[in-house]
Amino acid sequence: GIAIRPGSDSNSVVNCQVSGNGNPATPDFTGGGSGIIIGSSNVAPAPLSNSVLGSTVNNNVRHGILLTTTDGNTVKNSTANGNGQSGITLSFGADGNTVQDNVANGNALRGISVSGSVPQPDSNTFTGNQLAGNLVRDIEDFTAGGGTLGTRNTYIANPCTTSLPGGLCVPPVVGGKNLKIATGSIDLTW
């Protein structure tokens, strides 16, 4: 996979394909088995202002894209499908990040996951992410605060069907588009 570790600032991962990474025996808190990781759990200094743009991060043992203990990053126009945990995950004080116009489908747990780990991820913005067919939920945010629906974060127009708390999704627009979800495969034609 690709790792941007503590002290690395203003890096860009652009139009990369990252798949098949991971050893299930590697502890999850290290980010091992994730396709792209920015940060490292509770290790300073936090990487700042990095970006993942137009990348495909599929079929990794753990997370597709993991932001942990990192601030001010952008994940945009990327795809994170079929990963062993969640497509895009924010944890351990990942603050002020922008997650926009991504696709996260068919992941074993969630499309987007925001953990309630301390310190809780705060002031992140999730806009226009298309999520479908994730096993547990399309979006889960375990934080508590003054953001959307009592989370610490902002959710704007994310087409999906299942979320915790309920109401973080907007209904997928299917008129004029073909959305088919079947066990074991996802066919999206937009």
Side-chain angles (χ1 to χ4, degrees), residues 1-3 13 16 18 34-38 52 55 57 63-67:
I2 297 172
V13 177
C16 289
V18 184
S34 296
I36 298 173
I37 178 172
I38 301 177
V52 177
S55 294
V57 190
H63 311 282
I65 301 168
L66 172 62
L67 278 62

Side-chain angles (χ1 to χ4, degrees), residues 11-24:
N11 297 286
S12 295
V13 177
V14 181
N15 297 327
C16 289
Q17 293 191 14
V18 184
S19 65
N21 291 286
N23 176 346

